[in-house]
Amino acid sequence: MGTRNIKMPAVFLDRDGTVIFDKNYLSSPKQVKLYSFAAQSISKLRAAGFKIIIVTNQSGISRGLFTEKDLEKINKRFISLLKAAGSRIDGLYYCPHIDSDDCCCRKPKIGMILQSVKDFNIDIAKSYTIGDSVRDYMLGFNMGGKGVLVLTGHGKEQKNEVVKQKIKPAAICKTLRQAANFVIKDAKKITITYLDN
Ligand SMILES: [Zn+2]
């Protein structure tokens, strides 16, 4: 059996407010700016054996604020900036819809996760989401993995929303840097079951 049959855990990363600065419906490649810690945090997760998949809600498309072609240019810019900073991602998925479109991909729905499982050999139960919104950590919960909230982007406002939610994030971290460290440490935990007889 070759290594290609081995399922890999993934970290599903939100884009805006998590890896790049949030610009509220970012619509031009010129607006793409990586957080200083982004490339290093992604590389660290990759070195720890995680696939890195970007999953991003881009409702600006459905709202008519920019086109899928614009988004393609923005994502190309994002990937090239990441490359220039010495890192890379394995995949990128976006949802162009708004809530009323009732699609199956808008986070916290797991459509983008299900698609990535088809494209990559991912072990979802050992996977994580990291993002600056309740939607992001709920995505981690809904997929059957764990979700981490970061306090960059909308994270600080979203922290107040967490209080109202039944489901809480696996961790609340200042930035992607701390979130990456949490994920790497958490993934190493071994669950030992003692059978009493
Ligand atoms: Zn969608």
Side-chain angles (χ1 to χ4, degrees), residues 95-97 103-106:
C95 162
H97 308 111
C103 67
C104 57
C105 43
R106 184 160 162 81

PDB file of all heavy atoms in Angstrom, residues 95-97 103-106, ligand 1:
ATOM      1  N   CYS A  95     -17.491  29.897  -1.634  1.00  0.00           N
ATOM      2  CA  CYS A  95     -18.938  29.875  -1.822  1.00  0.00           C
ATOM      3  C   CYS A  95     -19.354  31.261  -2.278  1.00  0.00           C
ATOM      4  O   CYS A  95     -19.099  32.236  -1.581  1.00  0.00           O
ATOM      5  CB  CYS A  95     -19.646  29.512  -0.513  1.00  0.00           C
ATOM      6  SG  CYS A  95     -21.393  29.965  -0.542  1.00  0.00           S
ATOM      7  N   PRO A  96     -19.991  31.398  -3.456  1.00  0.00           N
ATOM      8  CA  PRO A  96     -20.366  32.719  -3.974  1.00  0.00           C
ATOM      9  C   PRO A  96     -21.744  33.192  -3.502  1.00  0.00           C
ATOM     10  O   PRO A  96     -22.210  34.250  -3.901  1.00  0.00           O
ATOM     11  CB  PRO A  96     -20.381  32.476  -5.484  1.00  0.00           C
ATOM     12  CG  PRO A  96     -20.824  31.052  -5.628  1.00  0.00           C
ATOM     13  CD  PRO A  96     -20.297  30.318  -4.414  1.00  0.00           C
ATOM     14  N   HIS A  97     -22.404  32.393  -2.673  1.00  0.00           N
ATOM     15  CA  HIS A  97     -23.823  32.614  -2.361  1.00  0.00           C
ATOM     16  C   HIS A  97     -24.066  33.484  -1.138  1.00  0.00           C
ATOM     17  O   HIS A  97     -23.166  33.763  -0.357  1.00  0.00           O
ATOM     18  CB  HIS A  97     -24.506  31.254  -2.158  1.00  0.00           C
ATOM     19  CG  HIS A  97     -24.278  30.300  -3.291  1.00  0.00           C
ATOM     20  ND1 HIS A  97     -23.513  29.163  -3.194  1.00  0.00           N
ATOM     21  CD2 HIS A  97     -24.719  30.362  -4.574  1.00  0.00           C
ATOM     22  CE1 HIS A  97     -23.491  28.537  -4.361  1.00  0.00           C
ATOM     23  NE2 HIS A  97     -24.212  29.244  -5.219  1.00  0.00           N
ATOM     24  N   CYS A 103     -27.821  27.498  -0.492  1.00  0.00           N
ATOM     25  CA  CYS A 103     -26.882  26.555  -1.109  1.00  0.00           C
ATOM     26  C   CYS A 103     -26.408  25.565  -0.042  1.00  0.00           C
ATOM     27  O   CYS A 103     -26.812  25.646   1.111  1.00  0.00           O
ATOM     28  CB  CYS A 103     -25.676  27.318  -1.660  1.00  0.00           C
ATOM     29  SG  CYS A 103     -24.655  28.062  -0.371  1.00  0.00           S
ATOM     30  N   CYS A 104     -25.545  24.638  -0.441  1.00  0.00           N
ATOM     31  CA  CYS A 104     -25.028  23.689   0.557  1.00  0.00           C
ATOM     32  C   CYS A 104     -23.558  23.974   0.868  1.00  0.00           C
ATOM     33  O   CYS A 104     -22.896  23.205   1.544  1.00  0.00           O
ATOM     34  CB  CYS A 104     -25.228  22.258   0.082  1.00  0.00           C
ATOM     35  SG  CYS A 104     -24.467  21.953  -1.508  1.00  0.00           S
ATOM     36  N   CYS A 105     -23.033  25.130   0.355  1.00  0.00           N
ATOM     37  CA  CYS A 105     -21.602  25.390   0.561  1.00  0.00           C
ATOM     38  C   CYS A 105     -21.300  26.574   1.478  1.00  0.00           C
ATOM     39  O   CYS A 105     -20.172  26.705   1.955  1.00  0.00           O
ATOM     40  CB  CYS A 105     -20.886  25.548  -0.777  1.00  0.00           C
ATOM     41  SG  CYS A 105     -21.719  26.540  -2.029  1.00  0.00           S
ATOM     42  N   ARG A 106     -22.277  27.445   1.738  1.00  0.00           N
ATOM     43  CA  ARG A 106     -21.971  28.616   2.573  1.00  0.00           C
ATOM     44  C   ARG A 106     -21.705  28.176   4.014  1.00  0.00           C
ATOM     45  O   ARG A 106     -22.543  27.535   4.643  1.00  0.00           O
ATOM     46  CB  ARG A 106     -23.131  29.622   2.500  1.00  0.00           C
ATOM     47  CG  ARG A 106     -22.872  30.922   3.256  1.00  0.00           C
ATOM     48  CD  ARG A 106     -23.802  32.013   2.753  1.00  0.00           C
ATOM     49  NE  ARG A 106     -23.927  33.146   3.679  1.00  0.00           N
ATOM     50  CZ  ARG A 106     -23.029  34.137   3.751  1.00  0.00           C
ATOM     51  NH1 ARG A 106     -21.954  34.129   2.999  1.00  0.00           N
ATOM     52  NH2 ARG A 106     -23.214  35.133   4.602  1.00  0.00           N
TER      53      ARG A 106
HETATM   54 ZN    ZN B   1     -22.706  28.363  -1.464  1.00  0.00          ZN
END
